Amino acid sequence: MLNPLKPTLLCSALALAQAGSACADTIVAQQFAPLTTVSPELAQFLQLPPVGWDVHPQTAEQWEELVQSSIPLSEQLVDHLCTQYELTVTPETIAGVPCFRITPPHQPQLKQDQVLLYLHCGGYVLNPGKAGLVEALPLAGIGGYTIIAVDYRMAPQHPYPAAIDDAFAVYQELLQTTPASKIGIFGSSSGGAMSLIVPMMCQEKGIAQPGAVMAGTPWSDLGKVGDTYYSHEGVDQTMVSYEGWLKDAVRVYAGDHDLKDPHLSPVYGDYSNFPPLLLIAGTRDLFLSNTVRVQAKMLAAKRPVELIVYEGISHAQYFFFPDVPETKQHYRNVTAFFERYLQ
Amino acid sequence: MLNPLKPTLLCSALALAQAGSACADTIVAQQFAPLTTVSPELAQFLQLPPVGWDVHPQTAEQWEELVQSSIPLSEQLVDHLCTQYELTVTPETIAGVPCFRITPPHQPQLKQDQVLLYLHCGGYVLNPGKAGLVEALPLAGIGGYTIIAVDYRMAPQHPYPAAIDDAFAVYQELLQTTPASKIGIFGSSSGGAMSLIVPMMCQEKGIAQPGAVMAGTPWSDLGKVGDTYYSHEGVDQTMVSYEGWLKDAVRVYAGDHDLKDPHLSPVYGDYSNFPPLLLIAGTRDLFLSNTVRVQAKMLAAKRPVELIVYEGISHAQYFFFPDVPETKQHYRNVTAFFERYLQ
């Protein structure tokens, strides 16, 4: 257990409390008794009160302050995971986009020909550089995969479509050396949404789709549309509410674009030929509806879709605490999925 | 659309409002704006306020009054479905237990050799006789399956283990004529729990397990244990709270038995050899944790498990409104599952 690293800072950014102005003061995060249906280690983490969700940066400088303030602790966690799993992380430019290549110490023969493309979370505003690697690293360590993590451009400096253009450019470049059927894409939250959008762009452009996709609690609707934006407001212990910094991130990323554009809100996209998809969410997840609405589209299209919902977990928390048993089981679940579908 | 049949009476029993005494008066069902992420037909139904959840029968007579009061509307719905899908429903005694055989008008050759065992919902107290058939009928109509629905004994007259003994006896008898690999078991709520317990009893007794199981929002923990008993209290629009009639049903069904006995609360059972399992829940479901805790057991045991969570749906509501598009899609999903796994 890595005690000093309080993981609520990931994605939702503990440090956000330090900047911007608070305003959603009628919304209160509910308090729950400690859960007896998760491990004691996880239960302890889940009792940490949500922080930093209700801040509203107004200027590029305030955004930058937020971004920078969350980096040191994330990078500390990255160092911990690299040591724990003996991973090699190498900066690499692919299609002109900065990336990191994550390599595990040992790989079965089959996986030496496969690669996972990772798109980090952070609402299109947070987690640049190595700070964006936290979710990816255990999948290299536990799953034995080589991972290319894309350090894509972000808002407010680079609004839509910079981020998704970068992700797509890297995917296209990977196709030069790896067959699509041996490429998986994964990510959570905004990274989960991008993991849905890249295959849609492939379909639109007539380019081979990846062999399988994991979209964790994907930000599939940038609008405040869907049941759990409302029913889980105050239930979710990381994002707490759409009325926190989320809606500000929408503003600086999407600008005046139509939020129902599938390249912004992939729940509105075409799933009729989508690759096998694993969706992840939690019982307290503000994005549970964002997740299951995508499942419904896949089921209606008769496409292979798997869903895992974790007990007691708020938005994206399933990877925040890398040393608890549930998190390790999560990575085993994701590994089993990619092993089923990647050739 | 079958307007006169307000479906909140199913399982949770609209009519329960007529009997017993109310007491959970500090718990309030939340009100939500109409959902735009479901069909207009379903959205309209989901706006109906929950009724009849906060009643507490004290005597056998009060329980009987409740049971009887919910029957006429359920039977009306049963008649509607039989007509709609041209189904034949025939009473039949199997292993001394009253059952109904549900037969669709047309069956593909493969399905003529298969049978689904259905265990109805109602908290081990409600839905005797034909009133217990509502969930089963569309699966015969849409899926083309022959279904044996068990009219098992119930509390308070017949507490645990009468219900599960009846279900198991019928399953055993079916094995005389149908290979286990061609038998599926399904049910929701208490019926979902029983659908989990029967295969466990097979495993314990060295009897062949069914080929596949669907457990909808299973009452896998009769104790008030698990996240969404708390986090979805007042969010769920059918059961609303464990503090309603649910806890009274536990009392009359389980008596002084240990609620952690897997034959009462199957989440505590052994899933190491469990058949392929489909789990169903909703984003507002009081039993979402009851559902995903079972998924976690299956994943840890590396057993095949699928989970579908429906947008906006409270406990077991996915079959309450048989004429809305989402309900029909649900039955197509269940059909596809059984077609994947039954031989």
Side-chain angles (χ1 to χ4, degrees):
Chain A
M1 185 63 57
L2 193 68
N3 268 329
L5 299 172
K6 296 304 186 200
T8 42
L9 64 93
L10 298 170
C11 275
S12 65
L14 180 68
L16 282 174
Q18 302 172 8
S21 58
C23 86
D25 46 87
T26 60
I27 299 161
V28 176
Q30 292 180 44
Q31 288 188 307
F32 299 106
L35 276 175
T36 59
T37 47
V38 299
S39 69
E41 304 94 300
L42 177 57
Q44 179 187 332
F45 279 121
L46 298 185
Q47 285 305 107
L48 297 172
V51 288
W53 62 273
D54 187 18
V55 292
H56 304 277
Q58 301 299 317
T59 65
E61 290 69 30
Q62 285 184 332
W63 280 108
E64 183 59 20
E65 189 184 336
L66 294 179
V67 170
Q68 288 302 325
S69 63
S70 73
I71 287 177
L73 274 177
S74 290
E75 289 191 345
Q76 192 180 340
L77 193 48
V78 165
D79 289 344
H80 164 72
L81 288 165
C82 285
T83 302
Q84 179 177 358
Y85 292 113
E86 302 174 52
L87 303 172
T88 305
V89 175
T90 313
E92 190 172 324
T93 300
I94 301 178
V97 178
C99 296
F100 295 97
R101 178 179 295 269
I102 306 167
T103 315
H106 313 290
Q107 276 186 310
Q109 182 67 39
L110 182 70
K111 290 184 180 176
Q112 292 176 18
D113 298 330
Q114 299 175 343
V115 65
L116 300 185
L117 183 70
Y118 174 64
L119 303 168
H120 69 77
C121 66
Y124 300 106
V125 290
L126 299 176
N127 301 324
K130 280 194 173 180
L133 299 182
V134 178
E135 180 181 16
L137 297 168
L139 195 54
I142 291 173
Y145 286 102
T146 298
I147 297 173
I148 300 293
V150 184
D151 189 13
Y152 54 81
R153 289 169 293 163
M154 292 194 287
Q157 290 86 346
H158 303 284
Y160 172 82
I164 195 68
D165 280 354
D166 284 358
F168 189 74
V170 174
Y171 174 74
Q172 272 195 295
E173 186 66 23
L174 289 184
L175 287 178
Q176 302 300 315
T177 52
T178 307
S181 61
K182 296 180 189 296
I183 302 176
I185 301 185
F186 76 109
S188 289
S189 195
S190 50
M194 294 168 78
S195 300
L196 297 172
I197 297 165
V198 168
M200 288 175 189
M201 293 173 73
C202 292
Q203 175 79 355
E204 292 158 13
K205 295 170 191 283
I207 291 167
Q209 292 184 317
V213 174
M214 183 214 103
T217 184
W219 200 6
S220 70
D221 199 327
L222 293 191
K224 192 177 180 180
V225 177
D227 185 38
T228 59
Y229 276 135
Y230 298 88
S231 60
H232 282 182
E233 183 168 79
V235 170
D236 186 292
Q237 303 286 303
T238 57
M239 297 312 304
V240 181
S241 168
Y242 184 90
E243 304 302 324
W245 64 271
L246 267 182
K247 70 174 178 187
D248 302 283
V250 173
R251 182 174 44 81
V252 294
Y253 177 63
D256 294 331
H257 291 278
D258 180 4
L259 297 186
K260 288 194 160 51
D261 181 333
H263 289 201
L264 284 163
S265 297
V267 74
Y268 299 105
D270 174 14
Y271 289 83
S272 59
N273 195 36
F274 204 87
L277 173 62
L278 172 62
L279 296 163
I280 308 282
T283 58
R284 296 178 180 176
D285 200 328
L286 191 72
F287 287 15
L288 180 59
S289 288
N290 276 331
T291 307
V292 307
R293 290 172 64 201
V294 172
Q295 181 181 40
K297 296 287 292 268
M298 287 288 282
L299 288 169
K302 300 185 182 175
R303 298 300 301 155
V305 58
E306 304 182 15
L307 168 67
I308 302 173
V309 176
Y310 292 120
E311 168 73 348
I313 290 295
S314 298
H315 182 62
Q317 274 184 325
Y318 48 80
F319 76 83
F320 286 13
F321 321 107
D323 292 331
V324 308
E326 286 87 347
T327 305
K328 292 183 177 178
Q329 179 63 44
H330 162 67
Y331 284 102
R332 287 193 292 271
N333 296 338
V334 177
T335 299
F337 168 78
F338 280 123
E339 288 177 349
R340 268 197 295 284
Y341 286 109
L342 291 189
Q343 287 178 2
Chain B
M1 183 63 58
L2 193 68
N3 268 329
L5 299 172
K6 295 304 186 202
T8 41
L9 64 92
L10 299 170
C11 274
S12 64
L14 181 67
L16 283 174
Q18 302 171 7
S21 59
C23 85
D25 46 87
T26 60
I27 299 161
V28 176
Q30 292 180 44
Q31 288 188 308
F32 298 104
L35 277 175
T36 59
T37 47
V38 299
S39 69
E41 305 94 300
L42 178 56
Q44 180 187 331
F45 278 122
L46 298 185
Q47 285 306 106
L48 297 172
V51 288
W53 63 273
D54 187 19
V55 293
H56 303 277
Q58 301 299 317
T59 65
E61 289 69 28
Q62 286 184 331
W63 280 109
E64 183 59 20
E65 189 184 335
L66 294 180
V67 171
Q68 288 301 324
S69 64
S70 73
I71 286 177
L73 274 178
S74 290
E75 289 190 346
Q76 191 180 340
L77 194 47
V78 165
D79 289 343
H80 164 72
L81 288 165
C82 285
T83 303
Q84 178 177 358
Y85 292 113
E86 303 175 52
L87 304 172
T88 305
V89 175
T90 314
E92 190 171 324
T93 299
I94 301 178
V97 179
C99 297
F100 296 97
R101 179 179 294 268
I102 305 167
T103 315
H106 313 290
Q107 275 186 312
Q109 182 67 40
L110 182 71
K111 289 185 180 175
Q112 293 177 17
D113 297 331
Q114 300 176 343
V115 65
L116 300 185
L117 184 70
Y118 174 64
L119 303 167
H120 69 78
C121 67
Y124 300 106
V125 289
L126 299 175
N127 300 325
K130 281 194 174 180
L133 299 182
V134 178
E135 181 182 14
L137 297 168
L139 195 53
I142 291 173
Y145 286 102
T146 298
I147 297 172
I148 300 293
V150 185
D151 189 13
Y152 54 81
R153 290 169 292 163
M154 292 194 287
Q157 290 86 345
H158 303 285
Y160 171 82
I164 195 68
D165 281 353
D166 284 357
F168 190 72
V170 174
Y171 175 75
Q172 273 196 293
E173 187 67 23
L174 289 184
L175 288 178
Q176 303 300 314
T177 52
T178 307
S181 61
K182 296 180 188 295
I183 302 176
I185 302 185
F186 76 109
S188 289
S189 196
S190 51
M194 295 168 77
S195 299
L196 297 172
I197 297 165
V198 168
M200 287 176 189
M201 294 173 73
C202 292
Q203 176 79 354
E204 292 159 12
K205 295 169 191 284
I207 291 168
Q209 293 184 316
V213 174
M214 183 215 101
T217 184
W219 201 7
S220 70
D221 199 327
L222 293 191
K224 191 177 180 179
V225 177
D227 185 38
T228 58
Y229 275 135
Y230 299 88
S231 60
H232 282 180
E233 184 167 78
V235 169
D236 186 292
Q237 303 287 303
T238 58
M239 299 310 305
V240 181
S241 169
Y242 184 91
E243 304 302 324
W245 64 270
L246 268 182
K247 71 174 178 187
D248 302 283
V250 173
R251 181 173 43 80
V252 295
Y253 177 63
D256 294 331
H257 291 277
D258 180 4
L259 297 186
K260 288 194 159 51
D261 182 334
H263 289 200
L264 284 163
S265 296
V267 74
Y268 299 105
D270 174 13
Y271 289 83
S272 59
N273 196 36
F274 204 87
L277 174 62
L278 172 63
L279 296 163
I280 308 282
T283 58
R284 297 178 180 176
D285 200 327
L286 191 71
F287 286 17
L288 180 59
S289 287
N290 276 330
T291 307
V292 307
R293 290 172 64 201
V294 172
Q295 181 181 40
K297 297 287 290 268
M298 287 288 282
L299 288 169
K302 300 184 182 176
R303 298 299 302 155
V305 58
E306 303 182 14
L307 168 67
I308 302 172
V309 176
Y310 292 121
E311 168 74 348
I313 290 295
S314 297
H315 181 62
Q317 273 183 325
Y318 49 80
F319 76 83
F320 286 12
F321 321 107
D323 292 331
V324 308
E326 285 87 347
T327 306
K328 292 182 177 178
Q329 179 64 43
H330 162 67
Y331 284 101
R332 287 194 290 272
N333 295 338
V334 177
T335 299
F337 168 77
F338 280 123
E339 288 177 348
R340 267 196 295 283
Y341 285 109
L342 291 189
Q343 288 177 2

